[in-house]
């Protein structure tokens, strides 16, 4: 029995393995379906390759030691001292455990939500966070508390999300946080968090968005506010505060649109028609030109000043109003600083400078808002792909219904050329369907009865009847859009670094501006010239261009990837993919098609019919790809299979059962050794010959004889060879294949594909260790698998990439990156996109800093003007946005 240093905190299942599982299951399938369990609440999926690997039903506690590992996808950081107690997990362990699991993050939380283990999280606002590393350590402490299933902290937002069960004592948790030196405030109970959402239009600067969020948090009766600049989404609670929030948003010059179905389904109107600022900006520009004309051509100073003032009033209306409300909320945003700059220019007699500053700032904000709106709209346009109504046959009557009224098991009729309105299964008909909006596949896919179709895909020439199996809010297209928006709102590592720099940059420059306005005049220098320099410093103190340099690039890249059938779960994974130097591949279903077929029967002590009949009878109880291929072969020969008694799956080797009163074993060569038989030289020669040609060999035997061999083969994906070559051109140093298959078969497949290294005959838990070893050698490692069987290894990698997961809930939720189609050629494209994104982010940071640095130097030298400061701010922001938007066109 294990000796523990801590306690279990499972939500539903008690664990006997001795681990402190302070996290949700690694996949949504957390219900045990086997008889011998480790008791830890995880569904231990198999390898999907070597016979029996996919049947880890008798699995071990699997703590990721050398001897055995659970394969749950977590890094168990502990050492083992051994003893002989039985932990009831199905293995004889020779050790004591002191388990401390690595920190679970958003993937575990997502899996817990997907499995309905928890509802929405508790959200705490943490005061006193001054370092990302300290924030990570705080989250680690929280995860260890009783009742905590998962915890995720945002250093930038100062928020801690806790996914917990009913055993959590929130007061005790807050006391622990206080003991660590931080203040905490519970924002809302789980159901109240983000109880309503609205879209904010006109956001043009991350710094301004952060200050707007701060203002909204201070509204009376508002318990929760979270505003994402990247996608313009505002989540708040309670829903009854909507009117107050709308008023506050409109006061500062933005437009709020509640996310009702009616608003979401409406075609978006033109940016220039739905915003007043562009019109006022044009009027301001007209007054500015007229003022210059009055001053230069007509030599009328009074008229020119009146026109300049009118230009400032029209162009600066929204600016001044936003600045005023920011000041009322004890916040100095860019609008306030720009208002001060304009008033200061008038105060020292620089009327045209004041008018030009206001016009340029208003124009810059308008163009920024337009380009960001265009970027965000490119993602929202995904929802426009699905029709708003469909032809439904219900109770024998055909009717056209809005998609919101279509229920599960309804039958929709899709005519030739129409877009499919709902996810479902083809009931009748056949057609070629264009799935490019979902999977990125350029060639239409043939659909027949029993095949799955997705909302937003385009039907070809045939007519289809589709049984609806997902509601409109839960279809694949909706989930993709939701996950993309969530990904865009997450801060990438480079963005966190920039945000930290900006937090110091702004107050430092404002302090310099105040000092420049006050100290030189006291020393006898000209007040007007130094005051003007101070105003220029105020203008360039906003870090907007710097702060926007990363998110605009991330938003554009993630949006582009989603349109190509690549779902990236966050900027961190996009950046990490660009640093990957080695990629590990699962074999079956990833490098190969996964459509295994029985190619040869080699009877030894029986005839072919008896060999196949007994083998198929045993394998009929298994869902392993090899087993299914054997059963299909028996079905093709119309064999009647005898019943099997006392069937038992044998982890990593095969299965056993009684057929017609005789016990048989079926499995790989490891099983033959376990039973205690020694194959003859002729048998070994046949096995070697088959394996060398890429076959997997399955043995049928009893306690005394080997009855025969079954040779099965899987075909290499047609695009695997070209994808491997393209990955090397993209800069990947090493390609590795991880498989549970035998080494000869694995080597044959690897030679065809062009893989550098092969690790064969791996149990599911061995793949996790292999990925960890690769990470130790290459630092950054990506793992590509089928998204379900390879979940542990995917979780252990720096970036987990699931292949061909369109419509698969678990894989979409748990993978870091999901390739919606079975297309390996998307991998080199993804590598190029990632590296181009990282490069553009670097360009944007350098560009924004360089422009501001030049203006700061010129200001200290007395060579700059106010309009230069505006260009250094809004002009640099526009350049950064334009540069980032190039990623939307990356092909």
């Amino acid at each position: 029995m294990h000796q523990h240093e801590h306690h279990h905190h499972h939500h539903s299942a008690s664990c006997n393995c001795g681990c402190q599982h302070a996290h949700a299951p690694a996949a949504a399938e957390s219900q045990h379906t086997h008889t011998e369990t480790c008791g830890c609440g995880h569904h231990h999926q198999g390898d999907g390759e070597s016979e029996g690997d996919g049947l880890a039903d008798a699995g071990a506690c699997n703590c990721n030691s050398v001897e055995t590992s659970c394969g749950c996808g977590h890094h168990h950081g502990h050492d083992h001292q051994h003893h002989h107690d039985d932990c009831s997990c199905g293995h004889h362990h020779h050790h004591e455990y002191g388990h401390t699991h690595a920190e679970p993050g958003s993937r575990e939380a997502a899996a817990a939500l997907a499995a309905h283990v928890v509802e929405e999280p508790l959200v705490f606002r943490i005061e006193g966070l001054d370092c990302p590393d300290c924030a990570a350590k705080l989250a680690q402490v929280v995860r260890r508390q009783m009742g905590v299933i998962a915890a995720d902290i945002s250093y930038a937002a100062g928020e801690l999300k806790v996914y917990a069960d009913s055993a959590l004592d929130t007061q005790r948790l807050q006391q622990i946080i206080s003991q660590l030196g931080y203040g905490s405030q519970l924002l809302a109970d789980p159901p109240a968090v983000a109880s309503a959402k609205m879209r904010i239009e006109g956001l043009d600067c991350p710094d301004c968005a952060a200050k707007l969020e701060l203002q909204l948090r201070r509204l009376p009766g508002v318990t929760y506010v979270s505003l994402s600049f990247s996608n313009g989404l505002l989540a708040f609670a309670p829903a009854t505060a909507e009117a107050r929030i709308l008023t506050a948003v409109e006061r500062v010059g933005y437009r709020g649109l509640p996310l009702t179905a009616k608003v979401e389904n409406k075609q978006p109107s033109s940016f220039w028609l739905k915003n007043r600022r562009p019109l006022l900006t044009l009027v301001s520009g007209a007054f500015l030109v007229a003022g210059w004309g009055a001053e230069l051509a007509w030599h009328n100073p009074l008229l020119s000043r009146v026109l300049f003032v009118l230009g400032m009033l029209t162009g600066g209306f929204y600016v001044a109003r936003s600045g005023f409300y920011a000041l009322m909320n004890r916040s100095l945003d860019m609008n306030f600083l720009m208002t001060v700059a304009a008033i200061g220019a008038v105060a020292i007699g620089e009327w045209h400078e004041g008018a030009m500053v206001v016009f340029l700032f208003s124009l810059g904000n308008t163009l920024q808002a337009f380009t960001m709106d265009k970027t965000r709209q490119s993602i929202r346009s995904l929802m426009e792909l699905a029709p708003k109504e469909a032809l439904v046959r219900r109770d024998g009557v055909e009717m056209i219904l809005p998609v919101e009224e279509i229920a599960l098991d309804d039958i929709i009729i899709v005519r030739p050329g129409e877009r499919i309105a709902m996810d479902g299964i083809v009931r009748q008909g056949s057609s070629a369907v264009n799935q490019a909006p979902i999977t990125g596949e350029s060639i239409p896919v043939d659909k027949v009865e029993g095949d799955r179709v997705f909302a937003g895909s385009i039907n070809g020439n045939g007519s289809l009847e589709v049984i609806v199996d997902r509601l409109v809010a839960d279809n694949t297209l909706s989930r993709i859009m939701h996950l993309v928006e969530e990904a865009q709102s997450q801060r990438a590592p480079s963005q966190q670094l920039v945000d930290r720099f900006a937090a110091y940059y702004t107050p430092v420059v404002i302090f310099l501006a105040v000092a420049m306005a006050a100290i030189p005049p006291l020393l006898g220098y000209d007040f007007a010239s130094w005051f003007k320099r101070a105003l220029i410093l105020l203008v360039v103190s906003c870090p907007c261009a710097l702060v926007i340099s990363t998110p605009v690039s991330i938003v554009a890249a993630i949006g582009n990837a989603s349109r190509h059938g690549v779902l990236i779960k966050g900027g961190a994974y996009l950046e990490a993919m660009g640093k990957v130097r080695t990629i590990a591949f699962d074999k079956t279903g990833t490098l190969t098609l996964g459509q295994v077929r029985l190619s040869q029967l080699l009877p030894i002590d029986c005839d072919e019919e008896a060999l196949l009949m007994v083998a198929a009878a045993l394998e009929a109880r298994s869902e392993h790809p090899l087993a299914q291929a054997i059963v299909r072969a028996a079905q093709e020969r119309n064999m009647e299979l005898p019943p099997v008694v006392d069937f038992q799956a044998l982890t990593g080797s095969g299965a056993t059962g009684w057929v017609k009163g005789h016990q048989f074993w079926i499995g790989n060569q490891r099983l033959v050794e376990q039973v205690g038989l020694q194959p003859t030289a002729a048998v070994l020669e046949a096995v070697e010959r088959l394996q060398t040609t890429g076959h997997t060999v399955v043995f049928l035997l009893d306690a005394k004889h080997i009855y025969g061999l079954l040779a099965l083969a899987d075909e290499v994906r047609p695009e695997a060879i070209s994808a491997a070559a393209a990955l090397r051109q993209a800069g990947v140093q090493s390609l590795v294949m991880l498989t549970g298959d035998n080494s000869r078969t694995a080597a044959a497949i690897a030679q065809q594909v062009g893989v550098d290294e092969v690790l064969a005959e791996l149990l599911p838990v061995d793949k996790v260790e292999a990925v960890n070893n690769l990470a130790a050698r290459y630092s950054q490692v990506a793992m590509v698998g089928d998204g379900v069987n390879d979940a542990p290894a995917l979780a252990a990698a720096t970036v987990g990439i699931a292949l061909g997961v369109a419509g698969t809930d678990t894989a979409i939720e748990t993978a870091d990156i999901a390739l919606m189609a079975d297309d390996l050629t998307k991998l080199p494209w993804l590598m190029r996109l990632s590296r181009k994104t990282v490069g553009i982010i670097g360009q944007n940071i350098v560009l924004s800093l360089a422009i501001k640095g030049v203006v700061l130097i010129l200001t200290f030298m007395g060579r700059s003007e106010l309009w230069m400061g505006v260009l250094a701010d809004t002009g640099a922001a526009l350049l950064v946005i334009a540069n980032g938007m190039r990623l939307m066109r990356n092909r």
Side-chain angles (χ1 to χ4, degrees), residues 580-584 771 774-775 778-783 796-800:
V580 164
R581 291 297 177 267
T582 184
I583 299 180
V771 169
L774 289 171
Y778 296 98
S779 180
Q780 305 282 338
V781 57
M783 171 68 189
T798 308
V799 182

Side-chain angles (χ1 to χ4, degrees), residues 6 16 55 79 133 162 200 290 327 471 498 609 617 800 863 866:
H6 48 264
N16 299 320
L55 303 166
D79 297 320
D133 184 60
V162 178
I200 307 299
L327 184 63
L471 298 177
V498 166
E609 185 174 354
R863 300 292 182 87
L866 269 173

Side-chain angles (χ1 to χ4, degrees), residues 276-286 314-315 359 362-364 366:
R276 299 174 186 171
R277 177 173 285 188
L279 177 61
L280 291 179
T281 300
L282 291 176
V283 173
S284 174
T314 52
F359 168 71
S362 181
L363 177 64
T366 299

Side-chain angles (χ1 to χ4, degrees), residues 111-136:
L113 288 168
H116 304 292
V117 176
V118 295
E119 298 300 327
E120 293 295 327
L122 293 160
V123 180
F124 296 85
R125 181 169 297 134
I126 306 299
E127 299 175 357
L129 282 178
D130 54 6
C131 137
D133 184 60
C134 300

Side-chain angles (χ1 to χ4, degrees), residues 231-256:
N231 52 39
L233 280 180
L234 171 68
F236 60 92
T240 53
E242 182 178 293
R244 290 193 297 276
I245 288 180
L246 274 172
T247 301
V249 167
E250 290 175 356
R251 272 180 186 167
V252 294
Y254 304 114
R255 184 185 180 200

Side-chain angles (χ1 to χ4, degrees), residues 106 110-111 113-114 197 231 233 379 382-383 473-490 558-559 562 566-571 573 805 808-818 820:
S106 56
L113 288 168
K197 290 184 179 182
N231 52 39
L233 280 180
I379 302 304
L382 286 173
M383 291 307 295
D474 191 41
N475 64 31
T476 302
L477 188 62
S478 297
R479 291 202 315 277
I480 290 173
M481 181 177 177
H482 171 72
L483 291 172
V484 168
E485 288 190 328
E486 289 293 321
Q488 290 177 335
S489 67
Q490 296 176 11
I558 290 178
S562 69
V566 180
L567 184 58
I568 304 172
K569 303 295 285 294
Y573 305 120
V805 297
T808 307
D809 295 346
T810 303
I812 289 179
E813 294 293 337
T814 58
D816 299 328
I817 297 175
M820 305 303 287

Side-chain angles (χ1 to χ4, degrees), residues 44-56 624 650-654 668 670 739-741 761-764:
H44 298 287
Q45 295 282 358
D47 171 14
E49 287 160 1
S50 70
E51 177 60 19
D53 287 358
L55 303 166
H624 195 279
L650 304 174
T651 304
S653 55
N668 54 26
R670 187 187 303 129
T739 177
D741 213 337
E761 300 180 24
L762 301 179
L763 294 172

Side-chain angles (χ1 to χ4, degrees), residues 333-596:
D333 70 354
M334 188 58 190
N335 293 289
F336 176 78
L337 297 176
M338 199 61 65
T339 303
V340 170
I343 294 174
V346 172
I348 60 175
E350 299 282 356
W351 298 86
H352 68 282
E353 283 271 11
M356 183 180 293
V357 163
V358 170
F359 168 71
L360 289 176
F361 182 68
S362 181
L363 177 64
N365 281 349
T366 299
L367 294 176
Q368 281 181 234
F370 169 70
T371 51
M372 286 306 301
D373 182 77
K374 183 179 179 181
T375 304
R376 296 174 184 131
Q377 188 60 46
S378 68
I379 302 304
R380 293 176 219 154
S381 62
L382 286 173
M383 291 307 295
E384 301 302 323
L385 294 175
K388 302 300 178 286
E389 57 187 19
L391 179 61
V392 179
R393 181 185 297 139
R394 185 181 292 175
D395 298 327
V397 178
E398 293 185 2
M399 62 193 80
I400 295 178
L401 293 176
V403 290
E404 293 80 11
E405 297 180 15
I406 298 176
L408 296 177
D409 297 326
D410 274 347
I411 297 174
I412 62 172
I413 301 172
V414 186
R415 289 169 290 210
E418 290 185 339
R419 285 190 181 270
I420 299 173
M422 305 287 286
D423 279 14
I425 305 297
V426 176
R427 176 177 177 267
Q428 185 176 327
S430 62
S431 183
V433 176
N434 181 357
Q435 297 186 152
I438 306 298
T439 65
E441 296 167 290
S442 58
I443 300 175
V445 179
D446 291 332
K447 299 291 182 179
V448 296
E449 182 179 340
D451 288 342
R452 168 169 291 281
V453 293
F454 307 108
S457 53
I458 305 169
N459 188 23
N461 295 327
S463 179
L464 298 176
E465 292 187 7
V466 177
I467 301 176
V468 175
D469 66 351
R470 284 197 180 115
L471 298 177
V472 64
D474 191 41
N475 64 31
T476 302
L477 188 62
S478 297
R479 291 202 315 277
I480 290 173
M481 181 177 177
H482 171 72
L483 291 172
V484 168
E485 288 190 328
E486 289 293 321
Q488 290 177 335
S489 67
Q490 296 176 11
R491 287 176 169 85
S494 58
Q495 185 177 353
Q496 295 175 8
L497 181 64
V498 166
D499 288 345
R500 289 179 62 193
F501 174 82
Y504 293 101
Y505 168 82
T506 299
V508 167
V509 176
I510 290 178
F511 171 78
L512 290 175
V514 173
M516 189 174 286
I519 296 176
L522 292 177
L523 298 177
Y525 292 95
D526 179 59
F527 170 78
S529 63
W530 285 97
F531 183 70
K532 182 177 179 180
R533 296 181 191 181
L535 293 178
I536 297 172
L537 282 184
L538 283 179
V539 170
V540 298
S541 66
C542 179
C544 186
L546 180 63
V547 174
I548 206 175
S549 60
T550 298
V552 69
S553 304
I554 295 294
V555 167
I558 290 178
N560 185 20
S562 69
R563 292 193 300 276
H564 284 80
V566 180
L567 184 58
I568 304 172
K569 303 295 285 294
Y573 305 120
L574 179 64
E575 285 192 18
M577 195 64 197
K579 301 173 184 176
V580 164
R581 291 297 177 267
T582 184
I583 299 180
F585 292 90
D586 169 47
K587 180 178 76 71
T588 303
T590 303
L591 291 178
T592 65
L593 293 173
Q595 298 172 354
V596 186

